[in-house]
């Protein structure tokens, strides 16, 4: 089982209590960029009502997205693009792309295809 402190590796959080914590941090706008990008799909699967909050946080130009790796963006983009049921998929994909642009990675949608 992956703990919240071990998620600096390229492994998404899966334990229910950790997911609840991530949901709470997202709702309070206290989640870090790396944790948000790595766990965006899990957070929205569990709490779809956080879609607007998540998109706003992903597109916030005042946040330091340079700490998120390009591989994290590609993995998040692919997981959202390939997930069977994602509410407002295109909006979320655009938010991930804008976040990657803020980090300086350019067009990840072309690389994720």
């Amino acid at each position: 089982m992956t703990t919240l402190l071990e998620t600096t590796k390229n492994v998404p959080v899966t334990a229910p209590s950790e997911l609840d914590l991530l949901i709470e941090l997202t709702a309070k706008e206290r989640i870090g960029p790396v944790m948000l990008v790595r766990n965006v799909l899990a957070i929205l699967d569990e709490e779809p009502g956080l879609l607007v909050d998540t998109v706003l946080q992903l597109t916030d130009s005042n946040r330091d997205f340079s700490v998120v790796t390009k591989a994290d963006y590609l993995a998040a983009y692919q997981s959202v693009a390939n997930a069977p049921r994602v509410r407002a998929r295109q909006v979320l994909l655009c938010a991930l792309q804008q976040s990657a642009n803020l980090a300086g990675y350019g067009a990840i949608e072309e690389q994720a295809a």
Side-chain angles (χ1 to χ4, degrees):
M1 178 164 81
T2 303
T3 66
L4 188 58
L5 297 176
E6 292 173 337
T7 57
T8 55
K9 299 175 187 171
N10 202 11
V11 178
V13 173
T14 56
S17 61
E18 292 173 351
L19 185 55
D20 290 340
L21 176 59
L22 290 175
I23 290 168
E24 182 178 337
L25 290 172
T26 303
K28 293 181 178 181
E29 297 183 14
R30 299 283 186 208
I31 191 167
V34 174
M35 296 301 290
L36 181 60
V37 171
R38 286 185 181 171
N39 297 290
V40 67
L41 193 57
I43 291 167
L44 292 175
D45 277 347
E46 187 70 23
E47 188 59 55
L50 288 176
L51 176 66
V52 172
D53 295 299
T54 302
V55 168
L56 290 173
Q57 290 179 57
L58 284 171
T59 58
D60 183 354
S61 61
N62 293 321
R63 298 187 81 179
D64 182 15
F65 288 102
S66 65
V67 297
V68 183
T69 67
K70 189 174 190 176
D72 286 335
Y73 278 113
L74 289 171
Y77 194 94
Q78 289 172 333
S79 67
V80 169
N82 297 327
R85 295 179 310 269
V86 176
R87 188 171 142 225
R89 179 188 319 271
Q90 284 307 115
V91 172
L92 191 52
L93 291 173
C94 287
L96 284 166
Q97 177 56 65
Q98 184 172 346
S99 182
N101 287 342
L102 291 170
Y105 295 124
I108 60 168
E109 73 268 7
E110 295 169 1
Q111 299 167 30

PDB file of all heavy atoms in Angstrom, residues 2-13 34-35 38-39 72:
ATOM      1  N   THR A   2       0.554   2.197  -0.817  1.00  0.00           N
ATOM      2  CA  THR A   2       1.305   3.433  -0.935  1.00  0.00           C
ATOM      3  C   THR A   2       0.792   4.433   0.090  1.00  0.00           C
ATOM      4  O   THR A   2      -0.404   4.630   0.222  1.00  0.00           O
ATOM      5  CB  THR A   2       1.132   4.026  -2.340  1.00  0.00           C
ATOM      6  OG1 THR A   2       1.541   3.060  -3.287  1.00  0.00           O
ATOM      7  CG2 THR A   2       1.943   5.276  -2.508  1.00  0.00           C
ATOM      8  N   THR A   3       1.704   5.054   0.808  1.00  0.00           N
ATOM      9  CA  THR A   3       1.288   6.085   1.746  1.00  0.00           C
ATOM     10  C   THR A   3       1.401   7.441   1.073  1.00  0.00           C
ATOM     11  O   THR A   3       2.075   7.590   0.056  1.00  0.00           O
ATOM     12  CB  THR A   3       2.168   6.085   3.016  1.00  0.00           C
ATOM     13  OG1 THR A   3       3.491   6.461   2.648  1.00  0.00           O
ATOM     14  CG2 THR A   3       2.158   4.732   3.686  1.00  0.00           C
ATOM     15  N   LEU A   4       0.756   8.415   1.648  1.00  0.00           N
ATOM     16  CA  LEU A   4       0.748   9.759   1.084  1.00  0.00           C
ATOM     17  C   LEU A   4       2.161  10.305   0.947  1.00  0.00           C
ATOM     18  O   LEU A   4       2.489  10.962  -0.026  1.00  0.00           O
ATOM     19  CB  LEU A   4      -0.096  10.680   1.964  1.00  0.00           C
ATOM     20  CG  LEU A   4      -0.370  12.084   1.448  1.00  0.00           C
ATOM     21  CD1 LEU A   4      -1.071  12.010   0.104  1.00  0.00           C
ATOM     22  CD2 LEU A   4      -1.208  12.846   2.433  1.00  0.00           C
ATOM     23  N   LEU A   5       3.030   9.990   1.891  1.00  0.00           N
ATOM     24  CA  LEU A   5       4.396  10.493   1.836  1.00  0.00           C
ATOM     25  C   LEU A   5       5.216   9.819   0.750  1.00  0.00           C
ATOM     26  O   LEU A   5       6.203  10.357   0.297  1.00  0.00           O
ATOM     27  CB  LEU A   5       5.077  10.310   3.192  1.00  0.00           C
ATOM     28  CG  LEU A   5       4.440  11.103   4.339  1.00  0.00           C
ATOM     29  CD1 LEU A   5       5.137  10.771   5.643  1.00  0.00           C
ATOM     30  CD2 LEU A   5       4.492  12.592   4.064  1.00  0.00           C
ATOM     31  N   GLU A   6       4.821   8.638   0.323  1.00  0.00           N
ATOM     32  CA  GLU A   6       5.550   7.917  -0.710  1.00  0.00           C
ATOM     33  C   GLU A   6       5.116   8.306  -2.112  1.00  0.00           C
ATOM     34  O   GLU A   6       5.682   7.833  -3.076  1.00  0.00           O
ATOM     35  CB  GLU A   6       5.360   6.406  -0.544  1.00  0.00           C
ATOM     36  CG  GLU A   6       6.028   5.860   0.701  1.00  0.00           C
ATOM     37  CD  GLU A   6       5.681   4.407   0.940  1.00  0.00           C
ATOM     38  OE1 GLU A   6       4.639   3.951   0.438  1.00  0.00           O
ATOM     39  OE2 GLU A   6       6.442   3.742   1.631  1.00  0.00           O
ATOM     40  N   THR A   7       4.152   9.180  -2.256  1.00  0.00           N
ATOM     41  CA  THR A   7       3.639   9.517  -3.580  1.00  0.00           C
ATOM     42  C   THR A   7       4.537  10.473  -4.338  1.00  0.00           C
ATOM     43  O   THR A   7       4.200  10.915  -5.405  1.00  0.00           O
ATOM     44  CB  THR A   7       2.213  10.085  -3.511  1.00  0.00           C
ATOM     45  OG1 THR A   7       2.219  11.217  -2.654  1.00  0.00           O
ATOM     46  CG2 THR A   7       1.237   9.043  -3.054  1.00  0.00           C
ATOM     47  N   THR A   8       5.715  10.778  -3.785  1.00  0.00           N
ATOM     48  CA  THR A   8       6.675  11.541  -4.572  1.00  0.00           C
ATOM     49  C   THR A   8       7.209  10.669  -5.695  1.00  0.00           C
ATOM     50  O   THR A   8       7.743  11.156  -6.662  1.00  0.00           O
ATOM     51  CB  THR A   8       7.837  12.052  -3.707  1.00  0.00           C
ATOM     52  OG1 THR A   8       8.420  10.940  -3.037  1.00  0.00           O
ATOM     53  CG2 THR A   8       7.348  13.069  -2.697  1.00  0.00           C
ATOM     54  N   LYS A   9       7.027   9.358  -5.546  1.00  0.00           N
ATOM     55  CA  LYS A   9       7.333   8.445  -6.634  1.00  0.00           C
ATOM     56  C   LYS A   9       6.200   8.546  -7.643  1.00  0.00           C
ATOM     57  O   LYS A   9       5.186   9.174  -7.394  1.00  0.00           O
ATOM     58  CB  LYS A   9       7.436   7.006  -6.116  1.00  0.00           C
ATOM     59  CG  LYS A   9       8.519   6.828  -5.084  1.00  0.00           C
ATOM     60  CD  LYS A   9       8.485   5.425  -4.544  1.00  0.00           C
ATOM     61  CE  LYS A   9       9.459   5.285  -3.395  1.00  0.00           C
ATOM     62  NZ  LYS A   9       9.317   4.023  -2.721  1.00  0.00           N
ATOM     63  N   ASN A  10       6.322   7.911  -8.755  1.00  0.00           N
ATOM     64  CA  ASN A  10       5.313   8.005  -9.805  1.00  0.00           C
ATOM     65  C   ASN A  10       4.195   6.981  -9.591  1.00  0.00           C
ATOM     66  O   ASN A  10       3.863   6.216 -10.477  1.00  0.00           O
ATOM     67  CB  ASN A  10       5.969   7.820 -11.169  1.00  0.00           C
ATOM     68  CG  ASN A  10       5.134   8.420 -12.267  1.00  0.00           C
ATOM     69  OD1 ASN A  10       4.179   9.135 -12.002  1.00  0.00           O
ATOM     70  ND2 ASN A  10       5.494   8.133 -13.486  1.00  0.00           N
ATOM     71  N   VAL A  11       3.624   6.979  -8.384  1.00  0.00           N
ATOM     72  CA  VAL A  11       2.581   6.027  -8.022  1.00  0.00           C
ATOM     73  C   VAL A  11       1.384   6.793  -7.474  1.00  0.00           C
ATOM     74  O   VAL A  11       1.533   7.559  -6.527  1.00  0.00           O
ATOM     75  CB  VAL A  11       3.092   5.044  -6.934  1.00  0.00           C
ATOM     76  CG1 VAL A  11       2.015   4.086  -6.509  1.00  0.00           C
ATOM     77  CG2 VAL A  11       4.323   4.304  -7.431  1.00  0.00           C
ATOM     78  N   PRO A  12       0.209   6.638  -8.065  1.00  0.00           N
ATOM     79  CA  PRO A  12      -0.964   7.356  -7.549  1.00  0.00           C
ATOM     80  C   PRO A  12      -1.430   6.798  -6.207  1.00  0.00           C
ATOM     81  O   PRO A  12      -1.195   5.640  -5.892  1.00  0.00           O
ATOM     82  CB  PRO A  12      -2.026   7.138  -8.620  1.00  0.00           C
ATOM     83  CG  PRO A  12      -1.585   5.945  -9.362  1.00  0.00           C
ATOM     84  CD  PRO A  12      -0.089   5.858  -9.244  1.00  0.00           C
ATOM     85  N   VAL A  13      -2.067   7.638  -5.436  1.00  0.00           N
ATOM     86  CA  VAL A  13      -2.606   7.236  -4.145  1.00  0.00           C
ATOM     87  C   VAL A  13      -3.834   6.362  -4.370  1.00  0.00           C
ATOM     88  O   VAL A  13      -4.658   6.649  -5.223  1.00  0.00           O
ATOM     89  CB  VAL A  13      -2.998   8.487  -3.332  1.00  0.00           C
ATOM     90  CG1 VAL A  13      -3.723   8.112  -2.062  1.00  0.00           C
ATOM     91  CG2 VAL A  13      -1.764   9.304  -3.022  1.00  0.00           C
ATOM     92  N   VAL A  34       1.854  18.657  -7.734  1.00  0.00           N
ATOM     93  CA  VAL A  34       2.243  17.283  -8.073  1.00  0.00           C
ATOM     94  C   VAL A  34       1.142  16.306  -7.663  1.00  0.00           C
ATOM     95  O   VAL A  34       0.729  15.450  -8.448  1.00  0.00           O
ATOM     96  CB  VAL A  34       3.587  16.898  -7.409  1.00  0.00           C
ATOM     97  CG1 VAL A  34       3.909  15.434  -7.645  1.00  0.00           C
ATOM     98  CG2 VAL A  34       4.711  17.784  -7.932  1.00  0.00           C
ATOM     99  N   MET A  35       0.656  16.451  -6.451  1.00  0.00           N
ATOM    100  CA  MET A  35      -0.392  15.549  -5.958  1.00  0.00           C
ATOM    101  C   MET A  35      -1.678  15.706  -6.770  1.00  0.00           C
ATOM    102  O   MET A  35      -2.365  14.731  -7.038  1.00  0.00           O
ATOM    103  CB  MET A  35      -0.670  15.809  -4.478  1.00  0.00           C
ATOM    104  CG  MET A  35       0.518  15.519  -3.577  1.00  0.00           C
ATOM    105  SD  MET A  35       1.074  13.809  -3.692  1.00  0.00           S
ATOM    106  CE  MET A  35      -0.273  12.993  -2.910  1.00  0.00           C
ATOM    107  N   ARG A  38      -1.057  14.060 -10.340  1.00  0.00           N
ATOM    108  CA  ARG A  38      -0.929  12.600 -10.245  1.00  0.00           C
ATOM    109  C   ARG A  38      -2.228  11.909  -9.869  1.00  0.00           C
ATOM    110  O   ARG A  38      -2.430  10.748 -10.191  1.00  0.00           O
ATOM    111  CB  ARG A  38       0.137  12.222  -9.224  1.00  0.00           C
ATOM    112  CG  ARG A  38       1.529  12.470  -9.710  1.00  0.00           C
ATOM    113  CD  ARG A  38       2.536  11.980  -8.730  1.00  0.00           C
ATOM    114  NE  ARG A  38       3.878  12.260  -9.214  1.00  0.00           N
ATOM    115  CZ  ARG A  38       4.959  12.107  -8.494  1.00  0.00           C
ATOM    116  NH1 ARG A  38       4.872  11.671  -7.253  1.00  0.00           N
ATOM    117  NH2 ARG A  38       6.140  12.383  -9.004  1.00  0.00           N
ATOM    118  N   ASN A  39      -3.099  12.617  -9.174  1.00  0.00           N
ATOM    119  CA  ASN A  39      -4.305  11.978  -8.637  1.00  0.00           C
ATOM    120  C   ASN A  39      -5.595  12.599  -9.137  1.00  0.00           C
ATOM    121  O   ASN A  39      -6.656  12.361  -8.570  1.00  0.00           O
ATOM    122  CB  ASN A  39      -4.255  12.022  -7.104  1.00  0.00           C
ATOM    123  CG  ASN A  39      -3.095  11.232  -6.568  1.00  0.00           C
ATOM    124  OD1 ASN A  39      -3.087  10.020  -6.630  1.00  0.00           O
ATOM    125  ND2 ASN A  39      -2.081  11.927  -6.088  1.00  0.00           N
ATOM    126  N   ASP A  72       4.464  12.966 -15.485  1.00  0.00           N
ATOM    127  CA  ASP A  72       3.231  13.043 -14.694  1.00  0.00           C
ATOM    128  C   ASP A  72       2.098  13.644 -15.513  1.00  0.00           C
ATOM    129  O   ASP A  72       0.963  13.169 -15.464  1.00  0.00           O
ATOM    130  CB  ASP A  72       3.440  13.868 -13.425  1.00  0.00           C
ATOM    131  CG  ASP A  72       4.252  13.145 -12.370  1.00  0.00           C
ATOM    132  OD1 ASP A  72       4.266  11.896 -12.378  1.00  0.00           O
ATOM    133  OD2 ASP A  72       4.869  13.824 -11.530  1.00  0.00           O
TER     134      ASP A  72
END
